[in-house]
């Protein structure tokens, strides 16, 4: 199991409000965030480019890695810090070659086989989920906490847990060995605002001890 602390992996809301740049800056200034993933499903490429140009400097100025969802070619064109690909998002091996030295994350749902394949291919992290019900997207796969325990005990490639994660329910995922918790609503829909959402998530992570390898 990794001795490194679990960290927050922030994903943008499905639709960006007009003041999102200000919301993002406030959120990132509120506490530790490892990565920001820009996830604008079905948006035209020019709209995504404009969002990258507006948001990537905000993240990078705070040492937060800027990850683009779905599109390795556009990530390379815009010099993003990396790309996150689902199982249906193009050629994973080709993306690895296209983005040397950049972050490559791959969705592996609840599958040990897909995760091992991603690790062998050179992914920088694997994403497991959904762990809880989520309103952000239709979850066709449900992952169990034991999957994180198995991965953390056997492999060194970091694991991202995703799907309905909040400050109230994340403790078992942290204890099981998740390296990152990917969240959307827990931050952007927090009743006191995104900054409070980041603070709440970081407090919940910090309050949860990590298990020793093998669950001992």
């Amino acid at each position: 199991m990794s001795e490194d602390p679990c960290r927050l992996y922030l994903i943008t809301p499905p639709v960006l409000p007009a003041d999102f740049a200000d919301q993002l800056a406030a959120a990132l200034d509120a506490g530790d965030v490892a990565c920001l993933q820009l996830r604008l499903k079905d948006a035209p490429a020019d709209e995504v480019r404009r969002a990258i140009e507006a948001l990537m400097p905000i993240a990078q100025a705070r040492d937060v890695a800027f990850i683009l969802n779905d599109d390795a070619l556009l990530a390379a064109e815009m010099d993003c810090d990396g790309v996150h690909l689902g199982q249906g998002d193009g050629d994973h091996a080709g993306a690895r070659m296209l983005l040397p030295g950049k972050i490559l994350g791959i969705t592996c749902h609840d599958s040990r086989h897909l995760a091992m394949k991603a690790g062998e291919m050179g992914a920088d992290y694997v994403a497991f989920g959904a762990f809880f019900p989520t309103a952000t997207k239709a979850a066709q796969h449900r992952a169990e906490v034991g999957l994180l325990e198995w991965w953390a005990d056997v492999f060194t490639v970091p694991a991202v847990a995703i799907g309905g994660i909040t400050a109230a329910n994340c403790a078992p995922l942290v204890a099981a060995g998740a390296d990152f918790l990917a969240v959307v609503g827990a931050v952007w829909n927090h009743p006191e605002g995104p900054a409070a959402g980041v603070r709440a998530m970081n407090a919940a992570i910090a309050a949860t001890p990590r298990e020793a390898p093998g669950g001992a």
Side-chain angles (χ1 to χ4, degrees):
M1 171 154 316
S2 171
E3 305 243 335
D4 295 329
C6 182
R7 299 182 69 193
L8 196 57
Y9 182 126
L10 192 54
I11 301 176
T12 60
V15 178
L16 304 183
D19 64 341
F20 183 70
D22 292 337
Q23 290 189 31
L24 176 62
L28 298 185
D29 285 340
D32 179 61
V33 178
C35 302
L36 175 73
Q37 182 190 129
L38 177 64
R39 186 177 185 275
L40 297 176
K41 285 289 188 182
D42 303 320
D46 284 347
E47 180 181 332
V48 178
R49 286 188 182 92
R50 288 193 295 272
I52 293 170
E53 289 171 349
L55 303 178
M56 187 161 64
I58 296 172
Q60 291 179 338
R62 293 159 174 82
D63 293 322
V64 176
F66 188 89
I67 310 296
L68 181 64
N69 181 262
D70 284 355
D71 194 332
L73 288 172
L74 187 56
E77 173 195 326
M78 300 298 291
D79 198 24
C80 297
D81 295 312
V83 69
H84 179 91
L85 299 178
Q87 285 298 316
D89 295 329
D91 176 5
H92 294 172
R96 177 70 290 166
M97 291 187 289
L98 179 67
L99 296 164
K102 302 285 190 177
I103 298 167
L104 173 62
I106 296 178
T107 294
C108 298
H109 303 303
D110 58 349
S111 171
R112 297 185 181 201
H113 170 71
L114 291 177
M116 288 188 288
K117 182 179 176 183
E120 290 168 358
M121 188 272 302
D124 294 289
Y125 69 80
V126 297
F128 294 120
F131 284 92
F132 305 105
T134 172
T136 303
K137 62 183 290 189
Q140 297 176 319
H141 304 269
R142 286 298 298 274
E144 301 295 332
V145 172
L147 180 61
L148 289 171
E149 294 172 339
W150 165 77
W151 184 263
D153 285 346
V154 178
F155 298 96
T156 58
V157 176
V160 175
I162 191 169
I165 297 169
T166 68
N169 66 20
C170 70
L173 308 179
V174 177
D179 296 282
F180 302 93
L181 301 182
V183 300
V184 184
V187 166
W188 307 117
N189 298 336
H190 193 282
E192 297 174 24
V198 169
R199 287 193 292 268
M201 286 300 308
N202 275 311
I205 291 170
T208 305
R210 307 276 263 178
E211 292 180 0

